[in-house]
Amino acid sequence: MAAKEYDVLIIGSGHSGGMAANVLTKKNLSCLMLNAGPVVDLEKDRSVKAAHELPFRGLGEPGRNPHIVIGNEFNANQWVDEREVPYTTETNARYDWVRVRLVGGRSLFWARQCFRLSDYEFKAKDHDGFGDNWPIDLAELTPYYDRVDSIFKVVGRKENLPQFPDGKFIDIQEGPESKATKDITSAAKDRGIAVSRMRFAQGEGGLASSVNLLLPEAAASGFLDIVPNAIVREITVDKNTGKANGAHFVDRHSKREVHVKARAVVLAAGTLESTRLLLNSGIANSSGVMGHYLIDQLYGCKVVASLPEARNGKVKPGMIGGGMFIPRFRNLKKGEKNNFLRGYSLPLGSGGGADPRMFREYGPELQKKLDEYRGSCVQGGLYGEVLPRFENHVRINKEVKDAWGIPVLHIHAKYGENELNMAKDAANTQEELYKAAGFEILYKSDKLFAPGYSIHELGTCRMGDNPKTSVLNKYNQSHDIKNLFVVDGAAFVTGGWQNPTLTISALSMRASEYLAEQMRMKNI
Amino acid sequence: MKSAGVAPALLLPAEVLAQRATGARSAPAIPKLEVTSPDAAGETVHRFFNEARFTALRRLGELFQPKVGNAPGATEAGAPEFLDFLIGASPADRKKLYNNGLDALNAAAQKKYRKNFAATTAEEADAVIRPLLATWDYEPPADPVIRFVSEAHQDLRNATVNSREYAEAGAASASRRRAGNTGLYFNPIP
């Protein structure tokens, strides 16, 4: 039986793959989407349970998901099982790679924070001389950001700050600010630091996933076939034309191998899975930089402070409560002197209590402390930029294979002095602001979480104008194979401090429209 | 005996074939049977830690998570027995952390008071434990004994508040504040 040839093969179904399907089917292009895991029904496949009803009393199955810090026994089944799909790292160089293979991918579970990159990120080299610029700028991506904002229903407050570009926000009624947040905002303002509110996707019913915002429309068009449980092993290339012509996938259950054909291939498997597939396929790497410039975002650096007059149950209405968001404020002026490049943002929350781990106490004394501090605390972390460095990279480890016989990734990622200095600055800044607002520091740590923890791994197939130093052009199109596109986070040149989902979605929209136009013009 | 080439349908019982012939497709109704949990029916048997280590862990549980009011403590919640099972099923590095950590508590108690940690008074135990308490968030300190105390503290606390006993006591309390942990459980992926 001759296999059908699709116009476009899309590998992956998260925000980037969902956006590609949404755009391409609107152009009447027949699309096949392959996804490594099954379709789930969030209503039927989840139920409220008590921890004691679980096999391991909620403490988790030993040895499962050791790198998923946010994982627990309740959500263990939503993540990729590391025993099935392992990866390797350098000795003593931890990397927390968090993956989801369900249809919809990580878009099912993301925190929905929506920030645009600014030209401080797109043109970072122009600003501080380090690394490389993107081949695009904010103005070029703005129309796509606007459209993604509308799809996601992004909520935010306009600030008119160049490092924190405003979006096409939907209106919501903001609650009144508490005295504590006003005091922190005032302390920040005295230091030239702007305080804003979190920006996030409202989506539908609290879900802003490809499965509810992007894929339904594509599926209804009649131009999209979705094959779940299809683990792609290799992208195939026509020896005569040098163009991608489809892919081999392995059925997750039976391990039967299947080949599918397409006129173009869009890779959207999630940054490192996309790169792993390209490296395993041995294609599109004439530059030699594929796998390099792995970046993510700095998380960690926890500071907790308490408002003395709010302790021991003395919290009064309006005294404390509410969130704040401090966008990047360091290294915005040329020549500004800090012991690190780039910058970070601070997400802050107030009105909560303290974690038991913040006290050197146990038993009744610990409980007394927890009761004393309940409702009196402000705490924050950081979202920081990681410098793109050639030496942070992934490569194939042929010695280790996953449950389907596919060689795994070896990940080499380490933070350097720039990241460590940035974390110290973030901790000191928080301490200064909290103290100035009348809080007392309860806990302060400038330690960083391991690379990968942010679940914002980026780069490894970066875009650029020069085919010798980049894998993709400015349309996410392979320099080497013109009908091959990588539309997920692998294309990033710099990561910034911003949650990358909005940018990934906007880039995928733009790349998919470009692909459709090139196909219409018979250039592909 | 199943012979090669026989279609599976021919092997079905006659009543199933008859049901299909009449078009009846619904599955037979099975009355819902009430079941009970292992914890409600019995106690976990401890078999991983030796006696000196297990009694040290139980003493640690009494100190870290004692019974308060109607809320069961680690002992009443069977937390040490549960951790004996959990650590026994864990990777080698976690087993080593616990074994060496419990040995260190016994060694410190022997050195100071010539008795095992399990036999220490509250005051004596505090003198052993307090220098080993640390604050942390993402990852406990690197020192193996301090790391053990940090992890054991968290594990004993979680094994207690996540227990059936804790949930039942909370459900029976007026405030229901201590109803135990609940969450949205994701079923195994088919």
Side-chain angles (χ1 to χ4, degrees), chain A residues 47 51 57 77 96 357 362 443, chain B residues 126 137-138 159 181 183 185-186:
Chain A
S47 57
R57 211 183 268 200
N77 292 315
D96 290 345
R357 295 171 299 182
Y362 60 87
Y443 179 80
Chain B
D126 188 70
D137 55 294
Y138 174 60
N181 282 333
Y185 176 72
F186 211 112

Side-chain angles (χ1 to χ4, degrees), chain B residues 93-114:
Chain B
D93 55 349
R94 195 181 191 192
K95 286 179 180 164
K96 187 179 168 187
L97 184 84
Y98 261 78
N99 282 337
N100 291 353
L102 292 166
D103 287 348
L105 293 187
N106 280 329
Q110 281 289 350
K111 192 176 173 186
K112 272 179 182 274
Y113 310 111
R114 296 180 182 275

Side-chain angles (χ1 to χ4, degrees), chain A residues 38 45-49 51-52 56-57 62 74 77 94 96 252 357-358 360-363 370 443 449-450, chain B residues 64 77 82 90 126 130 133 135-139 153-154 159 162 164 181-183 185-190:
Chain A
D45 294 332
R46 297 189 299 185
S47 57
V48 173
K49 286 196 176 194
H52 66 83
F56 298 93
R57 211 183 268 200
F74 288 99
N77 292 315
R94 178 171 169 171
D96 290 345
R252 178 170 153 257
R357 295 171 299 182
M358 313 276 115
R360 280 194 178 86
E361 293 294 348
Y362 60 87
L370 293 173
Y443 179 80
F449 299 164
Chain B
F64 281 170
F82 176 78
S90 291
D126 188 70
R130 193 152 291 278
L133 297 176
T135 59
W136 60 288
D137 55 294
Y138 174 60
E139 207 168 12
H153 193 174
Q154 180 166 268
N162 287 358
R164 183 184 60 85
N181 282 333
T182 57
Y185 176 72
F186 211 112
N187 295 331
I189 302 302

Side-chain angles (χ1 to χ4, degrees), chain A residues 46-172:
Chain A
R46 297 189 299 185
S47 57
V48 173
K49 286 196 176 194
H52 66 83
E53 294 177 294
L54 307 183
F56 298 93
R57 211 183 268 200
L59 276 75
E61 183 182 354
R64 177 153 185 191
N65 300 333
H67 296 103
I68 304 179
V69 180
I70 59 168
N72 55 49
E73 196 174 347
F74 288 99
N75 64 26
N77 292 315
Q78 74 190 38
W79 313 109
V80 167
D81 188 338
E82 280 181 37
R83 295 167 300 191
E84 282 191 339
V85 195
Y87 60 98
T88 57
T89 58
E90 308 293 309
T91 308
N92 298 325
R94 178 171 169 171
Y95 189 89
D96 290 345
W97 190 14
V98 180
R99 297 158 287 172
V100 173
R101 284 193 163 185
L102 309 173
V103 170
R106 291 180 290 195
S107 78
L108 290 164
F109 309 113
W110 70 306
R112 295 184 286 127
Q113 294 175 1
C114 287
F115 310 115
R116 298 179 180 204
L117 293 182
S118 74
D119 280 334
Y120 285 102
E121 287 78 37
F122 286 122
K123 300 299 174 191
K125 185 183 180 185
D126 289 350
H127 190 66
D128 59 27
F130 183 88
D132 289 286
N133 290 331
W134 289 62
I136 57 172
D137 60 14
L138 175 63
E140 205 161 340
L141 205 54
T142 292
Y144 301 95
Y145 273 138
D146 286 349
R147 288 162 61 192
V148 178
D149 276 353
S150 298
I151 295 170
F152 284 5
K153 296 183 180 161
V154 176
V155 173
R157 191 170 77 186
K158 295 203 174 193
E159 302 289 357
N160 198 28
L161 297 169
Q163 76 274 26
F164 193 43
D166 293 329
K168 201 174 172 187
F169 302 137
I170 61 167
D171 293 330
I172 59 155

Side-chain angles (χ1 to χ4, degrees), chain A residues 286-362:
Chain A
S286 66
S287 65
V289 300
M290 185 183 289
H292 292 274
Y293 301 104
L294 167 64
I295 40 181
D296 70 327
Q297 285 165 350
L298 292 183
Y299 274 40
C301 178
K302 199 178 185 72
V303 183
V304 182
S306 166
L307 194 62
E309 57 264 37
R311 283 185 214 145
N312 293 307
K314 291 179 185 163
V315 178
K316 291 176 184 155
M319 182 185 274
I320 187 169
M324 293 153 278
F325 188 78
I326 297 180
R328 176 178 165 180
F329 53 95
R330 292 288 190 234
N331 295 319
L332 298 176
K333 294 174 195 157
K334 283 216 170 187
E336 188 181 326
K337 293 286 181 199
N338 288 297
N339 62 353
F340 59 92
L341 298 172
R342 312 288 161 91
Y344 59 87
S345 62
L346 299 171
L348 312 178
S350 75
D355 188 297
R357 295 171 299 182
M358 313 276 115
F359 301 99
R360 280 194 178 86
E361 293 294 348
Y362 60 87

Side-chain angles (χ1 to χ4, degrees), chain B residues 118-158:
Chain B
T120 53
T121 64
E123 196 177 334
E124 290 166 347
D126 188 70
V128 172
I129 297 168
R130 193 152 291 278
L132 302 172
L133 297 176
T135 59
W136 60 288
D137 55 294
Y138 174 60
E139 207 168 12
D143 177 277
V145 181
I146 295 176
R147 188 182 184 99
F148 156 71
V149 170
S150 302
E151 288 199 12
H153 193 174
Q154 180 166 268
D155 289 343
L156 283 162
R157 184 179 176 86
N158 288 338

